[in-house]
């Protein structure tokens, strides 16, 4: 077992897509970026990584047939080690949530952790409950950034992130055997609706947003829709497994610009700048991985 095997187990590049959840929730609740609150994105990362390890533990029998190259079926990581990693990362995530946001954050982190384990062990085996539970996980992650007692101003951001995540989850069920035109079209329509909600909710708020803030909001929202909608439309036109997989990946990568748009929506340009850096780092990671695969082929 190597470090790289564990990084593959927890989907290390995808962990970057949860760092902005608590920034979006914290921005909505009026929390400044800095101080001990920097531990909250790390809490999200640990809980997400733990969920990924638990996912592969729960899917080890199916993966042995459909994805034998993954760490557990390939024998690189034992099922017991994956379960231990899931438990350890979950405990670490809860500890970091308490360190970063105190009891208000932990009060949301506990049901978040419970939802993650419920999804991986039970709900994901059913289409609608699975999508709803995964969406709830992402929404709770956003609310963890706001903290119990400041949930109301962050509800809109939580619903938007949760709605996008539910759509990605629905599409992901077609990664092996394909999806349907109706499913992919519905997810694409959902993307348009969520993008409209982000922009419309700001422009109709009656606030005194600056011209730069509005331009930044429009740019981030366009980046979100532009990153995932084309792949979703392709899956709707040709719902084969490869297109469903591409649409799923695009939806995951679109979460960072969506988080950035939500932070800008609440005037937190500093958090948006951090997320822009995270997005760039994620692109560099994917490029290096692609180049390495080419060199090995």
């Amino acid at each position: 077992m190597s470090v790289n095997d564990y990084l593959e187990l927890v989907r290390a590049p995808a962990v970057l897509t949860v760092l902005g959840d608590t920034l979006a929730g914290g921005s909505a609740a009026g929390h400044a970026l800095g101080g001990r609150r920097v531990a909250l994105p790390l809490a999200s990362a640990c809980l997400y990584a733990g969920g990924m390890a638990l996912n592969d533990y729960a899917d080890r029998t199916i993966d042995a047939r459909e994805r034998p190259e993954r760490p557990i079926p390939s024998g690189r990581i034992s099922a017991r080690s994956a379960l231990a990693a899931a438990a350890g990362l979950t405990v670490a995530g809860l500890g970091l949530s308490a360190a970063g946001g105190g009891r208000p954050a932990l009060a949301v982190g506990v049901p978040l952790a419970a939802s993650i384990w419920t999804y991986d062990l039970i709900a994901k085996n059913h289409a609608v409950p699975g999508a709803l539970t995964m969406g709830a996980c992402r929404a709770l992650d956003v609310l963890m950034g706001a903290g119990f007692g400041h949930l109301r101003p962050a509800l809109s951001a939580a619903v938007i992130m949760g709605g996008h995540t539910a759509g990605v989850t629905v599409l992901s069920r077609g990664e092996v055997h394909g999806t349907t035109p109706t499913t992919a079209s519905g997810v694409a329509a959902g993307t348009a609706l969520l993008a409209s909600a982000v922009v419309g909710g700001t422009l109709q708020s009656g606030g005194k947003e600056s011209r730069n803030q509005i331009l930044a909001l429009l740019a981030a929202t366009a980046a979100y829709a532009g990153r995932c909608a084309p792949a979703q439309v392709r899956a709707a036109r040709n719902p084969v497994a490869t297109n469903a997989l591409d649409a799923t990946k695009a939806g995951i990568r679109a979460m960072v610009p969506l988080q950035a748009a939500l932070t800008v929506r609440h005037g937190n340009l500093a958090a948006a700048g951090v997320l822009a850096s995270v997005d760039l780092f994620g692109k560099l990671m994917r490029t290096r991985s692609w180049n390495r695969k080419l060199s090995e082929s």
Side-chain angles (χ1 to χ4, degrees):
M1 294 181 289
S2 69
V3 173
N4 286 338
D5 292 333
Y6 276 101
L7 291 176
E8 183 180 343
L9 178 73
V10 302
R11 317 290 199 279
V15 171
L16 296 175
T17 67
V18 299
L19 297 178
D21 286 344
T22 54
L23 297 183
S27 298
H31 299 311
L33 177 64
R36 68 175 188 169
R37 293 189 62 81
V38 298
L40 289 177
L42 298 179
S44 298
C46 285
L47 291 170
Y48 183 92
M52 289 294 99
L54 184 64
N55 174 79
D56 276 20
Y57 170 80
D59 283 355
R60 60 193 186 280
T61 302
I62 297 175
D63 284 347
R65 299 193 305 268
E66 298 180 349
R67 302 177 181 91
E69 73 282 357
R70 284 189 170 176
I72 296 177
S74 67
R76 288 176 286 141
I77 294 179
S78 69
R80 179 176 295 182
S81 296
L83 182 60
L89 286 165
T90 299
V91 172
L94 292 175
L96 286 167
S97 71
R103 291 183 179 179
L106 182 61
V108 183
V110 170
L112 167 57
S115 297
I116 292 171
W117 281 66
T118 298
Y119 172 80
D120 283 325
L121 298 179
I122 302 173
K124 73 175 181 180
N125 296 319
H126 309 280
V128 175
L132 293 177
T133 304
M134 182 57 79
C137 289
R138 184 67 71 150
L140 285 168
D141 200 28
V142 173
L143 294 176
M144 186 169 68
F148 193 80
H150 298 85
L151 300 181
R152 186 172 181 178
L155 284 177
S156 176
V159 170
I160 288 171
M161 286 303 306
H164 175 73
T165 303
V168 173
T169 304
V170 168
L171 270 178
S172 71
R173 297 184 68 87
E175 290 180 5
V176 176
H177 303 294
T179 183
T180 67
T182 300
T183 297
S185 297
V187 174
T191 295
L193 180 63
L194 292 173
S196 299
V198 174
V199 176
T202 303
L203 299 182
Q204 297 174 12
S205 65
K208 297 181 179 180
E209 292 81 9
S210 68
R211 181 172 180 271
N212 288 340
Q213 181 182 347
I214 293 175
L215 290 175
L217 174 70
L218 293 174
T221 305
Y224 157 65
R227 185 164 298 180
C228 61
Q232 294 165 354
V233 171
R234 285 195 297 272
R237 291 175 175 172
N238 185 13
V240 296
T242 53
N243 285 344
L245 177 60
D246 288 344
T248 300
K249 291 180 178 179
I252 293 172
R253 294 167 184 167
M255 289 180 180
V256 178
L258 178 57
Q259 293 157 348
L262 292 171
T263 60
V264 172
R265 180 184 187 184
H266 295 283
N268 195 341
L269 298 181
V274 170
L275 288 172
S277 299
V278 169
D279 194 39
L280 177 60
F281 181 68
K283 289 180 180 178
L284 291 174
M285 286 185 66
R286 292 193 295 273
T287 300
R288 289 185 63 183
S289 175
W290 175 250
N291 288 338
R292 185 168 60 248
K293 288 179 180 178
L294 285 178
S295 66
E296 293 173 352
S297 61

